């Protein structure tokens, strides 16, 4: 059986740049205060960067191999480690703007209810760290990520319970959490002998579910950037939030809401009128920026498997005046951090090969 090696705070991954921990942030929902506390811990014990993940989580890199007790205590004090037994299974993505702007339902209470119930369920402590719950408020953003189990709102109090990409049944909002956890327990029992981690790897179990039928897959919207209602949505280039950028985010957010998105961006609650402060430190609000289309794994020298310095490579071409299709640059064949949707996949490319993936912008002289 393949071992699930997904890292957590209490089970770090040993990378070339030191220990790396993955901090779960259910629904991406946190606050300026909590982020500031995590940033201080990252500066005190690691490289000082917060790395945004494609599951709306956070990673801290460059930590000592023997993780300091003070670091674990700081993560817990910031509210990011409420359960030692269930920390790696708290993988919940939610529509980042739910309850703030648009959507058919406010799913923020559902995020909290699912997280609390998941931590209270002893049977699910061993669920794979790769298993993903999704909560989509009707706009189709989370459904496009194809979580293992999804609640997809069809209105303020009802929706679909979806297994995999497109098998679903109707469910009331009030019944969503117990229904999601019952399915998770069923999958966990069914997968035990096979060693698989994700629902799509066990199609026979999906086909055997009673009462589920094909459901339409909603079109995936483009992730928003800039001012959205009263809120600011800003991209984080390559997913690495520097101390200077974090300071700007927390200054704007204060004690209010910050939402980490699966697209390596942040929703800064009630920050629309202070967007200039966020972009001044290199955060992105322009949807035409190459940073909205080009992503990369951490690469060499931070990862022992990386054959190229993906971060430096991408930064060297980001200022080129080109049209970038969605492109992911990986340092090796593992393709860590690749986006869920269609994209151009480049493994250890040269600079010329990366530039060839884009088209020069047409300049018209008049």
């Amino acid at each position: 059986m393949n071992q699930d090696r997904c890292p957590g705070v209490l089970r770090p991954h040993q990378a070339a740049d030191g220990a790396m921990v993955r901090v779960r942030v259910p629904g991406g929902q946190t606050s300026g205060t909590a982020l500031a506390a995590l940033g201080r811990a990252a500066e005190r014990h690691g490289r000082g960067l917060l790395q945004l993940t494609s599951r709306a989580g956070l990673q801290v890199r460059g930590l000592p191999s023997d993780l300091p007790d003070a670091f674990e205590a700081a993560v817990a004090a910031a509210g990011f480690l409420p359960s030692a037994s269930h920390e790696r299974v708290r993988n919940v993505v939610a529509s980042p703007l739910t309850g703030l702007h648009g959507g058919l339902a406010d799913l923020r209470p559902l995020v909290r209810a699912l997280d609390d119930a998941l931590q209270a369920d002893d049977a699910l402590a061993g669920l794979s760290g790769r298993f993903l719950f999704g909560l989509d408020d009707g706009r189709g953003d989370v459904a496009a990520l194809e979580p293992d189990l999804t609640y997809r709102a069809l209105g303020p109090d009802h929706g679909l319970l979806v297994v995999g990409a497109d098998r679903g049944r109707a469910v009331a909002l009030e019944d969503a959490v117990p229904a999601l956890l019952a399915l998770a327990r069923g999958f966990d029992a069914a997968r035990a002998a096979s060693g698989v981690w994700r629902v799509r790897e066990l199609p026979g179990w999906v086909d055997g579910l009673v009462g589920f039928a094909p459901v339409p897959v909603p079109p995936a919207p483009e992730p928003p950037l800039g001012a959205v209602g009263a809120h600011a949505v800003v991209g984080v280039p390559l997913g690495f939030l520097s101390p200077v950028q974090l300071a700007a985010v927390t200054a704007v957010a204060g004690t209010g809401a910050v939402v980490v998105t699966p697209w390596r961006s942040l929703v800064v609650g009630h920050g629309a009128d202070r967007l200039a402060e966020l972009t001044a430190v290199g955060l992105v609000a322009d949807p035409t920026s190459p940073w909205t289309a080009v992503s990369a794994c951490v690469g060499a020298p931070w990862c022992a498997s990386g054959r190229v310095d993906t971060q430096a490579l991408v930064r060297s071409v980001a200022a080129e005046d080109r049209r970038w299709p969605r492109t992911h640059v990986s340092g090796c064949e593992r393709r860590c951090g690749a986006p869920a949707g269609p994209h151009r996949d480049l493994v250890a490319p040269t600079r010329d090969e990366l530039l060839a993936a884009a088209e020069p912008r047409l300049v018209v002289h008049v």
Side-chain angles (χ1 to χ4, degrees):
M1 182 183 295
N2 294 329
Q3 184 182 6
D4 175 10
R5 296 185 294 179
C6 282
V9 176
L10 303 179
R11 192 169 78 175
H13 167 71
Q14 298 300 324
D17 62 331
M20 181 273 285
V21 301
R22 186 170 298 159
V23 180
R24 270 65 179 185
V25 188
Q29 296 174 10
T30 182
S31 68
T33 305
L35 274 184
L38 186 61
R40 288 193 295 271
E43 284 197 84
R44 188 173 299 119
H45 301 286
R47 285 177 60 192
L49 302 172
L50 296 184
Q51 183 182 11
L52 281 63
T53 77
S54 60
R55 290 183 161 200
L58 298 166
Q59 293 183 162
V60 181
R61 307 188 66 94
L63 295 162
S65 296
D66 292 326
L67 211 61
D69 290 343
F71 175 78
E72 293 180 6
V75 175
F80 292 110
L81 189 60
S83 169
S85 59
H86 288 68
E87 65 139 339
R88 294 190 315 115
V89 304
R90 299 170 63 237
N91 299 303
V92 181
V93 290
S95 299
L97 286 164
T98 189
L100 298 175
H101 185 86
L104 300 178
D106 180 356
L107 298 187
R108 291 175 297 180
L110 192 61
V111 172
R112 294 188 288 272
L114 177 57
D115 186 33
D116 290 345
L118 182 59
Q119 293 178 61
D121 195 322
D122 292 340
L124 291 176
L127 190 65
S128 165
R130 298 189 182 190
F131 193 88
L132 183 62
F133 294 92
L135 303 176
D136 189 308
D137 69 0
R139 69 188 83 211
D141 50 1
V142 165
L145 303 176
E146 296 187 7
D148 294 283
L149 301 175
T150 306
Y151 174 77
R152 191 190 306 166
L154 298 178
D157 58 4
H158 67 286
L160 292 173
L161 184 64
V162 182
V163 179
D166 61 358
R167 305 264 313 168
R169 68 170 177 83
V171 66
L173 176 65
E174 63 183 2
D175 298 326
V177 168
L180 286 165
L181 294 190
L183 282 168
R185 287 191 296 270
F187 170 77
D188 199 37
R191 77 167 191 96
S194 62
V196 302
W197 294 307
R198 305 294 306 277
V199 159
R200 62 173 175 262
E201 298 170 309
L202 207 60
W205 177 77
V206 177
D207 292 341
L209 293 173
V210 176
F212 286 79
V215 295
V217 179
E222 280 296 314
L225 275 181
V228 181
H231 314 292
V233 184
V234 288
V236 180
L238 296 179
F240 280 98
L241 189 69
S242 71
V244 171
Q245 291 169 336
L246 177 60
V249 169
T250 55
V252 172
T255 59
V258 178
V259 184
V260 184
T261 87
W263 304 283
R264 296 182 174 88
S265 59
L266 297 170
V267 179
V268 184
H270 300 282
D273 59 349
R274 298 176 66 182
L275 200 53
E277 295 175 47
L278 301 172
T279 57
V281 294
L283 298 170
V284 177
D286 179 3
T288 68
S289 167
W291 293 121
T292 66
V294 184
S295 59
C297 71
V298 66
W302 317 115
C303 173
S305 299
R307 302 198 296 274
V308 298
D309 186 341
T310 57
Q311 303 284 307
L313 177 61
V314 171
R315 291 184 189 280
S316 76
V317 303
E320 295 278 345
D321 193 19
R322 291 171 178 258
R323 288 192 197 90
W324 287 94
R326 196 166 300 281
T327 302
H328 185 72
V329 180
S330 302
C332 74
E333 284 71 17
R334 292 179 63 188
R335 296 171 170 84
C336 293
H343 63 278
R344 182 165 295 187
D345 185 38
L346 299 177
V347 177
T350 64
R351 189 176 189 276
D352 287 343
E353 288 170 339
L354 178 53
L355 283 172
E359 298 178 0
R361 293 187 186 274
L362 179 63
V363 179
V364 179
H365 297 282
V366 295

